Amino acid sequence: MTTCGRISLGEQSSFNAAQSLDGSIPAPPGLAAIQFCTLYVTFGLLCISAPKAISFTGPKWGIALGMVAYVSLVASFLAPPHCTDASPARSSIDGGDGGGGGAAPCWSVGTIWALRLGTAVLVGFGASLVWTGQGVYLGRLAAHAATAEDAADGQSSSIRDAPPAASTFGASQRGQAPPPP
């Protein structure tokens, strides 16, 4: 549990740093807003199918796979800047000579857009896996802890499994305190 919390903290910290960096790293105008809009729309749409993916991979592997996507977003900021009219060199990705003559390489605007939007879609997919996987994982831990607690007390877990109103009513009829919400 502690490891999961530490990993989630590191993952969210790196994402927030990347989101903050996006406005300060040279990029084509409007790219930062469209990149994160794409990310959140993808995340929202893929949350619908994420439970099926988590049932296939399991919550731990789903979280791990989703975090790889976050790393790709951070790594996308290591790409060379986009070329401007004042940029004498182009990278080999754009058909140039790879920046010969000692000048810093640069990428075309289209290449930067494709890279950033591609990683935004990837992170949207990864975020749906991470958030759904964390919910499933924590739910399983809570169920396991409740079962272990009931076994240690020698009680049945029927009060915990009942709907809230029924469990409160049943507990009050037996003179017990209702279970915590």
Side-chain angles (χ1 to χ4, degrees):
M1 182 67 181
T2 303
T3 303
C4 183
R6 288 181 181 157
I7 290 172
S8 294
L9 177 66
E11 170 250 334
Q12 288 299 314
S13 297
S14 67
F15 175 72
N16 289 338
Q19 197 169 11
S20 296
L21 278 174
D22 205 15
S24 62
I25 292 179
L31 177 58
I34 292 173
Q35 178 183 8
F36 283 99
C37 178
T38 302
L39 186 154
Y40 289 118
V41 166
T42 304
F43 169 58
L45 292 174
L46 291 177
C47 276
I48 297 167
S49 61
K52 185 70 173 172
I54 293 298
S55 70
F56 178 72
T57 64
K60 288 182 187 177
W61 284 107
I63 293 168
L65 183 62
M67 286 186 182
V68 170
Y70 278 93
V71 171
S72 73
L73 177 73
V74 174
S76 74
F77 292 111
L78 299 175
H82 68 283
C83 298
T84 61
D85 293 336
S87 303
R90 298 178 61 86
S91 74
S92 56
I93 222 169
D94 298 324
D97 62 359
C106 62
W107 286 3
S108 72
V109 172
T111 304
I112 296 292
W113 275 85
L115 173 69
R116 298 276 180 89
L117 293 182
T119 57
V121 169
L122 188 63
V123 173
F125 172 72
S128 67
L129 292 179
V130 167
W131 286 82
T132 305
Q134 286 176 344
V136 170
Y137 189 71
L138 291 175
R140 288 181 183 177
L141 286 175
H144 178 72
T147 304
E149 182 180 310
D150 288 342
D153 292 343
Q155 297 178 2
S156 167
S157 63
S158 61
I159 290 177
R160 292 185 193 275
D161 296 338
S167 64
T168 302
F169 177 75
S172 65
Q173 294 299 314
R174 291 187 299 276
Q176 298 174 345

